[in-house]
Every structure is written in C-alpha cells, then in structure tokens.
Amino acid sequence: MTWARPRRQRTGAGRSRDNSQRGTSMATAAAKLLLCCFTMTSFFLSFHAVHAHPNYVDALAKSILFFEGQRSGRLPPNQRITWRSNSGLSDGSAANVDLTGGYYDAGDNVKFGFPMAFTATMLSWSVMEYGNKMGAQLGDARAALRWVSDYLLKAATQTPGRLYVGVGDPSADHRCWERPEDMDTPRSVYWVSAGRPGSDVAAETAAALAGASVVFRAADRAYSRRLLAAAKSVMSLAMKYQGSYSDSLGGVVCPFYCSYSGFKDELLWGASWLFRATNDVFYLNYIKSLGANDNADIFSWDNKFAGARVLLSRRVLVEKDKSFVQFQQQAEDFMCKILPNSPFSTTSYTPGGLMFKMSSANLQYVTSISFLLFTYSKYMASSKHTFKCGNLLVTRSTLISLAKKQVDYILGQNPQKMSYMVGFGSKFPQRMHHRGSSLPSLAAHPSHIGCQDGFQYLSSSSPNPNVLTGAVVGGPDRNDAFPDDRNDYGRSEPATYINAPLVGSLAFLAGRYGSG
C-alpha cells in the first residue's frame, strides 16, 4: 500500500530566527503545535482522498454515453451527444448494399469491422455478466450494443457468402483531418468470402452476434433469433474457409488492424460464444479439435485466447462440468502471468501501479484484462474456488483488488491525479486525438471544413471544443507521464474497444461500492 505523504510546511513563521529563544518562546511552541496538527490533518485528508472510491455509478453512465459520440449513420432523436450529426449516410453504396450505422473505431472516420466486432462482443459480455448491477444504465448499455449489432447483422446478411468488414479508405482518411459530417474521402467497401478468407474477423463477428443474441433473448426474441442465425452462418464461413483477413485484404487493414495473433484464437473465441449461445455439442467438439494451447499474457481486439478460456471456465466453476478443466487451468495460467506478485508474472507495472503492456494505447489492455480479472473472480465465488501461482495463494479478492486498482487509476487515483476518462473528475485530457471532438461542431461552424483545412485544429494547442464525455484515451507511458498532446495518438486517442470492457468492470464496481 502506498501512503500519500503530505509535503512539510516550510515557512518563516514556523521557524524561530532567534536561536537563543528556540524552545522557550510560547509563540513558537504554539506555532509548532499548530503546524503539527495541520500536518497530521493534511495527512489523513490526503490518505482519505487517495483511498476513497471514485463515483463508479457516474463513471459507468459516462463510459456508455461515449458510444453515442462514435455513432455513424442517421442519429436518433434521443441522441445525447448533440455536437454530433448524421454521417456516412451512403455507406455501402460502393457495393450496392446498405452499410450505414455502426461505430467509428477511434478518432478517425473509418469503420473497421474487426475491432468493431470485438467492441460488440465485450459490450454483450458486460451486459450478460453485470446487467443486474447497471441499474438505470442498463437500457443505455443495451442501446449501445444494439447500435453495433444492427450494423454487424447488416454486414453479415446483405450478400450470401460475404461478410463486409470495412467501410472507408483508411489511407485516404488518415491523410485528412475532418469531421465525420464532412467526410469526402472514398467510402470504399471491403469484405471476406470463400475466395478471400478472413477467419479472424468472421469468427469475431460470429462471437459478437452470438453474444448479442443472448443479451436480447428475453427482450426481443425475433431479433435474437436473427442474430444467432447470422452468427452460425458467419462462423461456418470462418471454419470452412480458413485464412487471415490480413493476408486477403492487405493494405486496407494493415497496419491499422492487422491480425497479428493469427486466427486460431478467434476460432476458439467464436466457437466458445456459439457454444454459450446454443449449448450445441457441435461447437464443443470443434473447440476441442482446435488444440489451442498457445500461451497468452494479453487480451485485446487481436488476441482472444485468454478471453475464451475465462468464458469456458464458467462451465467448471459455475456449472460444475469437469470436462472443461483444461480451460480453467489455462485461464489461471493467464492470471499468474498478470499478478504482480506471481513468480510467473510477465506483466510490467508503472511506478504508480498501472499494468503496462504496450507503449501505444496501453489502456486498451488494462481495461480488457481487468474485465477478465473481475469476471473470473465472479466465477470463483460460486464455488469458493482458489488457486495458486507457485506458492502464491490467489483468492477472488486477489483478483478484485488488482482489477479495482487499475480502474481506480484510470479514474484519477494516479501520480498525475488525472482521470483518463474525459468528463470524469476535475482533471482529464483536454486535447484528445479525435477529429469530431477537436474540430468545431456544425452548430458552431456550419460551413464545410475541408480535408487539409482541418489540420490547423490538429496542431492547435487549444482544448478540444467538443467534450466527448466518457471517452477513455490511450493513457500514460511506463513512467506514469501523460503529455495531453493531440498529436500523440498513442496516448491521447480514445477507442470503442477501450471502453467496452470497462463498462462491465464499472458495473461490477458500481454494484459493489455504489457511487463512492
């Protein structure tokens, strides 16, 4: 435990300039007593401030609101982030299909299907596990999920044998700095198929559709059935025509969202979600046939091994099915690579205690891994399970404590005393790398802002004029430093796949601790 130490007060009034009177002056003694009391009071106030819980209920609401700022398509009347307007209304027309809707993945105006599908899967998992902790935010969480599941359903069903996986020319888009409402770069359309395989993106999309089908099963059975049917079809495409979408599509997805981990992790992930949604032994047999024994110490839009193993561990810990013990052991091996006191840890931490996996957009790994820690701890609770990393005994409290520390760090309990969630707390990033947030809104500047004209706003040192409430940026460096520089996209850019797993973690903490 790190205790906050108050700075010593060093003022002329606290010192006697006359050495002959030191220790005898009643005034000096009173001043020292007052200083001592002030210092002790400051210490306890500082300790309380550092260790008080953030307002998780407020953070949860804002983490969900963020998705409204990422919407593409025709915005609904109840849109709450009002500086955004309609955009991408002809998306899909290049291929004579309707691909309007969905989310812009981060601070640009491209719709990348791979990270978008992961976002949807994690929103589904968040609602499935923690919807009962979301209170008034449950409806908004479902709305955030439905916005993306509607899009993925279109992408999966418009053309038989095809899955549409991208809209927008990423190279052209990245040469511009313009509002989504002003987009004039090509809205090219990309897809995978039997002749252009993409097992990774197809299996991830299947996972997203299957997860959403579970979420909406009670509220909208017809919609749920459509989602599940599409999930099965897309998973069949992923299994039957194997290959990486990075190889099939090349420069339109690389280096932006290459499938660096290959596609076996997505096949495991997609089959696991379809097994969860259907309980069909076909998917169980496929899972077992994969022989996916790759070690993992990360979880992200690219590498799903750890997530699949935690999801499958539920069968052992909650449902008492011992045939899934292999996945439980692999999930616990993953935890042992994350825990800082584990003899098997491969995870670095900053001096302030933040998990540090990558120098660019590190908080995406922090939020994803924290979600797994919370969720595995939840599964452990049902059977009072513990495990060991060498001689280190791991209880559910061990996992909760580490994950909570990560979330609290994001919300402001860090050396910078800065919340990395925009709009949360008194100090948060002002210069996000985000086109819509950094450019003046249509209301403030109705005339078109061209592709190159927008760069003046990228290079400006002024705060973003539009607050994208709830956005979580890439985060600080390995030394807890954060420059708040719009050009430093690795640290200052938000993304849907940073927020999506955080929604579940915040719901867990809101249910446990409330508003602080």
Side-chain angles (χ1 to χ4, degrees):
M1 179 180 292
T2 302
W3 288 47
R5 295 177 180 174
R7 287 188 290 179
R8 294 181 182 273
Q9 302 295 312
R10 299 190 64 184
T11 65
R15 293 180 174 185
S16 170
R17 295 180 181 270
D18 186 345
N19 290 336
S20 65
Q21 294 182 4
R22 185 178 298 155
T24 61
S25 167
M26 291 296 291
T28 301
K32 286 182 176 180
L33 179 61
L34 181 62
L35 177 61
C36 176
C37 293
F38 175 78
T39 301
M40 292 300 292
T41 301
S42 298
F43 172 83
F44 286 113
L45 286 174
S46 177
F47 179 85
H48 176 75
V50 168
H51 292 275
H53 303 305
N55 187 334
Y56 299 119
V57 174
D58 183 44
L60 172 63
K62 289 174 176 171
S63 71
I64 297 168
L65 178 60
F66 157 74
F67 289 96
E68 294 191 16
Q70 297 301 109
R71 284 172 168 171
S72 181
R74 190 172 299 281
L75 303 184
N78 62 351
Q79 170 81 8
R80 292 175 294 169
I81 293 188
T82 55
W83 50 264
R84 280 295 325 281
S85 299
N86 300 334
S87 62
L89 297 183
S90 63
D91 280 359
S93 61
N96 296 312
V97 291
D98 174 12
L99 293 174
T100 56
Y103 290 129
Y104 303 116
D105 69 293
D108 52 27
N109 299 325
V110 184
K111 295 193 299 203
F112 291 100
F114 197 24
M116 195 193 308
F118 178 72
T119 294
T121 309
M122 294 310 298
L123 281 173
S124 292
W125 203 358
S126 294
V127 175
M128 287 165 61
E129 297 291 350
Y130 306 111
N132 63 342
K133 308 292 186 186
M134 291 182 179
Q137 301 308 316
L138 178 57
D140 290 334
R142 284 177 173 157
L145 173 59
R146 185 141 190 170
W147 192 269
V148 62
S149 61
D150 280 350
Y151 174 83
L152 295 175
L153 191 57
K154 290 181 185 180
T157 59
Q158 297 253 346
T159 305
R162 279 188 186 180
L163 170 66
Y164 293 98
V165 299
V167 181
D169 181 328
S171 296
D173 180 88
H174 285 74
R175 288 194 293 268
C176 290
W177 193 263
E178 58 186 353
R179 301 176 294 204
E181 295 83 2
D182 285 338
M183 279 188 295
D184 47 20
T185 52
R187 299 303 285 173
S188 309
V189 176
Y190 311 101
W191 65 85
V192 296
S193 61
R196 189 188 289 180
S199 298
D200 27 35
V201 67
E204 177 59 81
T205 303
L209 293 166
S213 77
V214 176
V215 171
F216 292 109
R217 187 172 290 163
D220 190 337
R221 292 193 65 83
Y223 183 61
S224 174
R225 284 193 294 269
R226 289 174 58 211
L227 291 167
L228 187 56
K232 291 177 179 178
S233 176
V234 174
M235 190 66 201
S236 177
L237 181 69
M239 294 161 59
K240 189 173 181 181
Y241 304 102
Q242 293 193 9
S244 173
Y245 95 135
S246 298
D247 295 333
S248 295
L249 297 178
V252 301
V253 296
C254 288
F256 311 102
Y257 289 103
C258 294
S259 183
Y260 297 103
S261 67
F263 56 82
K264 185 183 283 187
D265 57 313
E266 276 83 24
L267 290 175
L268 177 66
W269 177 243
S272 299
W273 275 103
L274 274 157
F275 182 58
R276 176 73 183 269
T278 65
N279 215 31
D280 188 334
V281 71
F282 170 79
Y283 295 108
L284 175 58
N285 290 336
Y286 185 72
I287 289 165
K288 291 180 176 179
S289 76
L290 283 171
N293 295 315
D294 306 59
N295 290 322
D297 66 352
I298 206 161
F299 177 50
S300 70
W301 59 263
D302 179 45
N303 193 319
K304 320 294 168 38
F305 282 118
R309 289 159 181 165
V310 169
L311 180 66
L312 292 169
S313 295
R314 184 180 183 276
R315 304 289 297 206
V316 185
L317 297 172
V318 178
E319 299 179 25
K320 310 298 188 287
D321 186 340
K322 298 299 183 183
S323 66
F324 288 82
V325 166
Q326 170 197 351
F327 304 106
Q328 175 197 354
Q329 291 172 342
Q330 290 173 325
E332 291 172 2
D333 287 345
F334 168 76
M335 305 293 167
C336 291
K337 290 181 170 65
I338 300 301
L339 290 165
N341 296 325
S342 164
F344 310 112
S345 181
T346 58
T347 302
S348 299
Y349 288 81
T350 69
L354 180 70
M355 202 179 292
F356 198 84
K357 284 293 184 181
M358 295 283 179
S359 58
S360 182
N362 179 60
L363 288 186
Q364 67 174 297
Y365 308 104
V366 176
T367 61
S368 294
I369 292 171
S370 296
F371 178 92
L372 293 187
L373 296 174
F374 282 128
T375 302
Y376 199 76
S377 78
K378 179 187 174 187
Y379 297 164
M380 289 172 70
S382 65
S383 55
K384 299 182 179 178
H385 178 69
T386 62
F387 64 93
K388 284 191 170 184
C389 300
N391 293 323
L392 176 68
L393 177 66
V394 180
T395 67
R396 69 180 302 251
S397 295
T398 310
L399 303 184
I400 291 171
S401 177
L402 176 59
K404 181 181 182 299
K405 183 171 184 177
Q406 303 308 301
V407 175
D408 289 354
Y409 185 109
I410 291 170
L411 297 181
Q413 293 187 5
N414 57 60
Q416 296 284 342
K417 302 293 190 290
M418 169 180 276
S419 162
Y420 291 104
M421 175 184 284
V422 172
F424 182 86
S426 58
K427 181 183 178 185
F428 50 82
Q430 301 291 317
R431 299 166 189 85
M432 275 199 314
H433 182 94
H434 188 279
R435 287 157 174 78
S437 176
S438 66
L439 288 153
S441 67
L442 282 177
H445 192 293
S447 58
H448 181 87
I449 300 174
C451 166
Q452 296 300 309
D453 293 336
F455 279 107
Q456 62 182 300
Y457 300 99
L458 171 64
S459 58
S460 168
S461 61
S462 299
N464 286 9
N466 307 310
V467 178
L468 183 51
T469 302
V472 178
V473 298
D477 66 15
R478 63 176 63 252
N479 296 310
D480 300 300
F482 181 75
D484 197 9
D485 178 357
R486 196 175 293 112
N487 278 289
D488 187 359
Y489 63 86
R491 295 182 180 88
S492 67
E493 188 171 18
T496 58
Y497 46 85
I498 300 178
N499 270 62
L502 184 61
V503 168
S505 296
L506 288 169
F508 175 93
L509 291 167
R512 193 177 178 92
Y513 301 105
S515 57

